[in-house]
Amino acid sequence: MKVVATERSQLLAARIAGALGAGVAEARFSRFPDGEHALQRGALDGETVVVGSVVDADSLVQLLLLIDACRDSEIRLVVPYLGYARQDRAFREGEPVSARAIAGALGRGVFRVVTVHVHKETVLPHFGAPARNVTLEAAIAEYIAGLGLTEPAILAPDHGALSFARAVASRGGWEAEYLEKTRISGTEVRMEAKNLDARGRDMVMVDDIISTGNTLIAAAKMLRAAGAKGVHAVGVHGVFVGGALDLLRNAGIREIACSDTIESGSSRFSAATAVASALSR
Ligand code: R5P
């Protein structure tokens, strides 16, 4: 078995290979003169684990090319971050179901698919191949425990993320709560805490995606105003559009941690063990 990855997923791929005891095949990406992506991959043997997060259009094209270049082997596709998953239905007449379009294109010709904290598991059948989603509660709880906080509360920024917050909190014996999130526009959200006394306590917000950061910034401002001692943020996928990271820090969030599904200076825990274990089953 060999593991091979797109440019943005090399580090996680190497960690998955390490966890599987598999080799890494080279994938050399370049550009044609008109800007189109080109690829030359190294030798494979039998089964191939293809790893690629869909972070932007370039990473999507690279992943499609890589899958095609590996078509003669049995492909296990790992999509650590599936971009476009939030458009999982046509919210208005005339819109695409983008998650279906992207997953359908990626799943063609692959044997199995593994995703990490996909925004909604209802997207998985769109791959058209057996797909499973892995979650990182264990790695996140270990990271939070390492912060050495006294009785932190684990907060979901909306009700939909409460089961995730509870799963993390139960591993550390912490309290889990959720905030009421109202999305005012694509870039503006309002947060309220219903059942939470934040005074003098450390709050750790957990979310699947940190994109513009607006969700967590609004939550952090509210928590600080409510007297929280420290506000920390853990996102599985750190998309960090524009200056999101600076904005999050300016909002007074002390620690901002993400996994390596999208590699960045904020990657503090890895999806490799969970992915490798799903691939081994
Ligand atoms: C929303 O449903 C997601 O779970 C995240 O809360 C959201 O995508 C975060 O986006 P942003 O950082 O742009 O507020």
Side-chain angles (χ1 to χ4, degrees), residues 86 119 157-158 181 183 207-215:
R86 284 176 288 179
H119 185 59
D158 57 36
K181 168 173 160 181
R183 191 167 275 287
D207 206 353
D208 58 345
I209 303 168
I210 306 179
S211 182
T212 63
N214 287 330
T215 300

Side-chain angles (χ1 to χ4, degrees), residues 155 179 187-193 198 203 205 212-233 246-254:
L155 295 184
L179 305 176
T187 54
E188 224 189 318
V189 290
R190 190 177 56 226
M191 314 291 301
E192 287 168 84
M203 302 282 133
M205 303 180 289
T212 63
N214 287 330
T215 300
L216 296 185
I217 288 166
K221 285 183 180 158
M222 188 274 293
L223 291 169
R224 282 164 55 81
K229 179 169 142 207
V231 180
H232 313 265
D246 286 337
L247 295 172
L248 287 157
R249 290 199 186 105
N250 293 341
I253 301 178
R254 290 198 190 159

Side-chain angles (χ1 to χ4, degrees), residues 98-155:
S98 308
R100 178 176 59 200
I102 303 297
L106 292 173
R108 240 167 260 142
V110 311
F111 177 66
R112 256 197 221 163
V113 181
V114 175
T115 58
V116 180
H117 277 271
V118 72
H119 185 59
K120 278 193 194 142
E121 294 204 1
T122 48
V123 164
L124 298 180
H126 295 316
F127 282 103
R132 69 181 293 162
N133 182 55
V134 301
T135 55
L136 305 185
E137 289 89 2
I140 292 170
E142 193 181 329
Y143 165 77
I144 294 172
L147 294 175
L149 307 172
T150 308
E151 292 186 24
I154 311 300
L155 295 184

